[in-house]
């Protein structure tokens, strides 16, 4: 089997562009109808864009926040990195508070701070270099995970994915969608299904668009159709991303992931989580310790700006859930694959 991947075909979308003076973000609130970049000229604009989901997906919000720190540095005078770190702390706190669940955001900010406190008078260049490194390393990790994850998938398989884990959610290529891209490119995957992913429609708006841009044939399903699909013979693997992976292998990801894992196990399908090591949080022992973001109920009450729910109804809008490690067959990272994750197998690969 030819395992080479034509990245010119399968890796063209870039959600984050550093212009040298500002951060341009492909505005994911408008896709797929409008393809437009939003320009952020300061770090608070980046924090607002992260909170509003103009940029979203765990690795992408970490990368955007790193560039946000570079923008914040423009407002600061300091003789060395330690002084700059103190001056930048409030802006970094505002970036960190933009979203709570994806650990990549805090991870990227901690990495920027670490580089800063070690820097001397060249701290501005050090910050820019670090943001660039976070971005390029993410892209390399995704390509590596694509190869590792695709290798688990037998030729002729079908996959179901959830949310958007593609180029739009990362520096490029994607995590779970990177595995799907690699699997299609290598001729392993014959059928791709995507959940629409209510209420924000990352599947129907973003994943469907990315797959079409690549010319990958795919079928959209309502979230509620997933068990019915998994009961049939079309899907062999459910392949999803992650926002935080705990020390015991529990995984927080987009709301609806947990029920997919239950259904996959019930129907004898396999369940793969694909995420870079920056999503692994060995300091959080298990999923019950993860803060689950709850967003404005308005996201549930309407579709495409138009109200659909009965007036006066209450709504609850948690946007992530936790899948217990026991329901996961494989966690794929750029460092390697953890099969049937638990505390011991996680520690063997990630230490801590
Ligand atoms: O609320 P979102 O759209 O930021 O949630 C994104 C997800 O849950 C993704 O599955 C996860 O971040 C992995 S992206 C590579």
């Amino acid at each position: 089997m030819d395992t080479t991947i034509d990245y010119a075909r399968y890796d063209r979308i870039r959600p984050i562009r550093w212009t040298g003076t500002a951060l341009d973000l492909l505005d994911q609130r408008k896709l797929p109808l409008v393809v437009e970049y939003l320009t952020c000229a300061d770090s608070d604009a980046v924090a607002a864009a992260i909170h509003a989901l103009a940029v979203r997906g765990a690795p992408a919000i970490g990368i955007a926040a790193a560039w946000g720190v570079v923008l914040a540095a423009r407002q600061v005078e300091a003789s060395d990195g330690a002084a700059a770190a103190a001056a930048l702390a409030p802006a970094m706190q505002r970036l960190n508070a933009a979203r709570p669940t994806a650990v990549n955001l805090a991870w990227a900010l901690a990495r920027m701070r670490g580089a800063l406190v070690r820097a001397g008078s060249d701290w501005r260049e050090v910050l820019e270099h670090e943001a660039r490194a976070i971005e390029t390393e993410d892209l390399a990790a995704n390509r590596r995970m694509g190869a590792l994850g695709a290798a688990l998938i037998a030729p002729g398989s079908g996959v179901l994915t959830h949310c958007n884990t593609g180029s739009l959610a990362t520096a490029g290529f994607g995590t779970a969608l990177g595995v799907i891209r690699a699997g299609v490119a290598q001729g392993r995957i014959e059928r791709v299904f995507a959940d629409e992913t209510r209420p924000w429609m990352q599947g129907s708006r973003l994943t469907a668009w990315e797959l079409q841009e690549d010319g990958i044939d795919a079928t959209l399903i309502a979230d509620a159709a997933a068990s019915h699909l998994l009961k049939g013979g079309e899907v062999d693997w459910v392949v999803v991303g992650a926002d935080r992976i705990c020390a015991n292998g529990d995984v927080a990801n987009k709301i609806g992931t947990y029920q997919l894992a239950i259904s996959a196990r019930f129907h004898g399908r396999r369940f793969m989580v694909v995420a870079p090591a920056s999503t692994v949080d060995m300091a959080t022992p298990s999923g019950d310790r993860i803060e689950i973001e709850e967003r404005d109920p308005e996201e549930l009450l309407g579709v495409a700006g138009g109200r659909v729910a009965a007036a006066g109804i209450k709504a609850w809008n948690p946007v992530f859930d936790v899948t217990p490690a026991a329901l996961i067959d494989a966690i794929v990272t750029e460092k390697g694959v953890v099969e049937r994750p638990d505390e011991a197998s996680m520690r063997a690969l990630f230490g801590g």
Side-chain angles (χ1 to χ4, degrees):
M1 174 180 295
D2 181 9
T3 55
T4 53
I5 291 157
D6 176 7
Y7 291 113
R9 169 172 174 191
Y10 290 110
D11 189 15
R12 288 174 298 160
I13 299 162
R14 289 290 175 269
I16 299 168
R17 290 199 306 221
W18 174 247
T19 67
T21 52
L23 190 64
D24 285 350
L25 301 171
L26 184 50
D27 195 335
Q28 301 192 30
R29 297 166 300 182
K30 298 183 175 173
L31 284 169
L33 301 180
V34 178
V35 181
E36 187 177 276
Y37 281 82
L38 168 76
T39 296
C40 299
D42 59 45
S43 70
D44 284 342
V46 176
I50 291 171
H51 182 72
L53 310 184
V55 61
R56 47 142 299 282
I61 63 177
I63 296 161
W67 286 117
V69 177
V70 175
L71 286 171
R74 308 248 152 130
Q75 317 301 322
V76 165
E77 288 303 326
S79 54
D80 62 16
L88 284 169
M92 289 173 82
Q93 246 158 26
R94 290 195 294 277
L95 285 163
N96 197 32
R99 294 194 76 185
T101 303
V103 73
N104 307 62
L105 180 57
W107 170 87
L109 290 167
R111 191 167 149 175
M112 293 296 278
R113 191 175 184 286
L116 195 52
V117 294
R118 290 189 299 274
S121 59
D122 62 342
W123 62 270
R124 284 179 204 282
E125 292 80 60
V126 168
L127 271 186
E128 196 164 329
H129 178 270
E130 199 66 13
R132 176 85 56 211
I134 288 171
E135 189 168 340
T136 53
E137 287 169 25
D138 185 64
L139 180 57
N142 292 338
R143 290 180 173 185
R144 175 85 188 121
M145 292 187 292
L148 290 173
L152 300 175
I153 298 174
S157 293
V159 297
L160 169 63
T161 192
H162 188 58
C163 194
N164 172 266
T165 61
S167 303
L168 292 169
T170 63
F173 197 59
T175 57
L177 209 62
V179 167
I180 292 172
R181 286 186 156 113
V184 169
Q186 294 175 0
R188 296 170 186 273
I189 295 176
E190 283 183 0
R191 297 169 302 282
V192 178
F193 295 88
D195 277 346
E196 59 180 354
T197 316
R198 275 198 49 80
W200 213 70
M201 303 301 197
Q202 286 94 332
S204 53
R205 296 192 305 105
L206 308 176
T207 300
W209 180 72
E210 280 203 37
L211 290 167
Q212 282 182 337
E213 290 286 302
D214 284 9
I216 295 175
D217 183 47
T219 303
L220 189 66
I221 62 163
D223 299 326
S227 288
H228 183 58
L229 175 70
L230 291 170
K231 187 168 74 173
E234 298 282 286
V235 169
D236 301 277
W237 281 93
V238 175
V239 187
V240 300
D243 287 81
R244 192 181 291 247
I245 301 176
C246 301
N248 69 345
D250 289 353
V251 168
N253 191 49
K254 179 52 53 194
I255 192 78
T257 303
Y258 179 27
Q259 64 195 23
L260 287 178
I262 293 170
S263 186
R265 180 60 55 92
F266 183 80
H267 293 104
R269 312 295 161 204
R270 303 186 75 196
F271 193 87
M272 185 192 304
V273 174
V274 189
S278 55
T279 306
V280 175
D281 177 12
M282 294 301 284
T284 298
S286 60
D288 51 4
R289 308 284 285 274
I290 298 174
E291 184 184 346
I292 299 295
E293 179 181 4
E294 293 187 15
R295 293 184 66 85
D296 190 341
E298 283 300 317
E299 289 180 354
L300 264 178
L301 299 175
V303 174
R307 171 96 190 189
V308 290
I313 189 72
K314 283 187 293 182
W316 178 48
N317 187 23
V319 298
F320 297 100
D321 58 27
V322 174
T323 299
L327 294 177
I328 298 168
D329 292 293
I331 295 178
V332 175
T333 76
E334 76 278 24
K335 291 191 169 183
V337 176
V338 182
E339 294 200 53
R340 291 175 298 282
D342 60 16
E343 206 179 316
S345 56
M346 287 296 290
R347 198 173 294 136
L349 190 60
F350 296 104

